[in-house]
Amino acid sequence: MSRAIVLILGACILAGCASLNQQQCVEMDWHRLGEQDGRRGLSASRIEKYQTDCGEFFIEPDTASYQAGRLEGLAQYCTEPMGYEAGWADLPYLNVCQGEAEADFLRGYLRGRDAALFYCWSGAFSSFGLRHRFFHSYPFRSRLFCD
């Protein structure tokens, strides 16, 4: 799957436009879904959307399993490198990290935003042909870019 498709799907999920159908509600691995949502930095209230979606079919999500998985995902998300990537991509931070992990994440987040802004404002990258190579080697395209 190309990065563009992954980013579009990710943005759709973050925006809340993905809903679950009956088959997905029945077959869902709630722990795995929670882990995926945690790795994306989604808030704990995300389960409420799944409850609404599945409630239409009289199916109750396994909230305990979902929350356990989400905590595992947050352990991967709430790191300085992930903060850097989120800051670089200008993704919103939903205050999901706690304690020292939050400090680490935010340190990376601010560094990533600063780097994206520098990249946007710096004519030096394009002058030396570095801008193109650097931009395409990074997994996220920031909304902060000028061009």
Side-chain angles (χ1 to χ4, degrees):
M1 187 180 292
S2 76
R3 285 186 179 159
I5 293 171
V6 170
L7 290 175
I8 290 168
L9 289 174
C12 186
I13 289 169
L14 282 174
C17 55
S19 61
L20 300 175
N21 63 37
Q22 184 174 10
Q23 182 178 355
Q24 290 171 318
C25 290
V26 170
E27 297 174 357
M28 183 59 64
D29 178 345
W30 293 103
H31 186 275
R32 184 170 162 257
L33 182 61
E35 185 178 355
Q36 291 172 348
D37 286 354
R39 281 185 304 196
R40 291 184 187 112
L42 299 178
S43 74
S45 65
R46 182 70 179 174
I47 189 70
E48 294 169 8
K49 170 140 179 37
Y50 303 137
Q51 289 169 331
T52 300
D53 291 346
C54 295
E56 293 178 19
F57 311 110
F58 305 101
I59 298 169
E60 184 65 31
D62 183 348
T63 305
S65 182
Y66 173 86
Q67 295 297 358
R70 184 176 164 277
L71 289 176
E72 289 176 20
L74 285 175
Q76 296 172 38
Y77 177 77
C78 296
T79 63
E80 190 168 343
M82 288 301 295
Y84 185 91
E85 290 185 14
W88 174 268
D90 195 29
L91 297 174
Y93 172 56
L94 302 176
N95 299 309
V96 295
C97 303
Q98 302 292 316
E100 188 61 34
E102 182 173 48
D104 291 343
F105 180 89
L106 290 174
R107 185 172 31 259
Y109 188 83
L110 294 173
R111 283 183 43 242
R113 286 187 57 95
D114 288 347
L117 288 170
F118 173 78
Y119 180 78
C120 176
W121 294 337
S122 174
F125 284 103
S126 59
S127 300
F128 296 106
L130 298 174
R131 183 175 197 160
H132 178 76
R133 279 181 278 158
F134 180 76
F135 174 78
H136 289 289
S137 68
Y138 208 81
F140 296 107
R141 177 184 171 117
S142 177
R143 294 184 305 220
L144 298 172
F145 288 117
C146 299
D147 54 359

